Amino acid sequence: MARKLSGLQREVIHLYRSAVRVAHTKPVENQPHFLQFIHAEFSKYRDLPRKDFTTIEHLLRVGNRRLKMYSQPELKDIH
């Protein structure tokens, strides 16, 4: 049976899914750039210990701010 996800784990998954949804609202030719960026950012912290709550909470705050910025319709591409 699968382990139940903690609240922070659910928040991280929610942030990732939201970021992917925003990437799909961008012009089709630029979507791969956004998806590669999202994957790279989440991969950086893949080995972060689950018990490192302060770092995870900080990264969630930063990620939500970035998501808000990147979701603006004026932003067409990311490098």
Side-chain angles (χ1 to χ4, degrees):
M1 187 170 185
R3 260 167 104 178
K4 201 166 189 179
L5 297 176
S6 72
L8 279 179
Q9 288 171 324
R10 281 195 299 269
E11 285 184 52
V12 170
I13 292 169
H14 178 73
L15 177 62
Y16 183 82
R17 290 174 55 110
S18 298
V20 170
R21 283 190 195 104
V22 166
H24 288 293
T25 65
K26 300 302 178 181
V28 175
E29 63 274 5
N30 298 333
Q31 287 179 10
H33 301 152
F34 280 94
L35 294 172
Q36 288 170 355
F37 178 76
I38 293 164
H39 182 73
E41 287 298 304
F42 276 84
S43 293
K44 278 185 203 176
Y45 304 103
R46 181 171 284 161
D47 296 327
L48 191 66
R50 292 180 183 193
K51 301 285 185 188
D52 194 353
F53 301 124
T54 55
T55 303
I56 295 169
E57 289 170 348
H58 169 73
L59 290 170
L60 280 169
R61 284 192 303 274
V62 169
N64 282 316
R65 272 187 263 133
R66 283 185 178 180
L67 179 63
K68 186 176 176 183
M69 181 178 64
Y70 295 150
S71 64
Q72 295 176 355
E74 302 84 39
L75 188 67
K76 302 290 183 199
D77 198 6
I78 193 168
H79 291 283

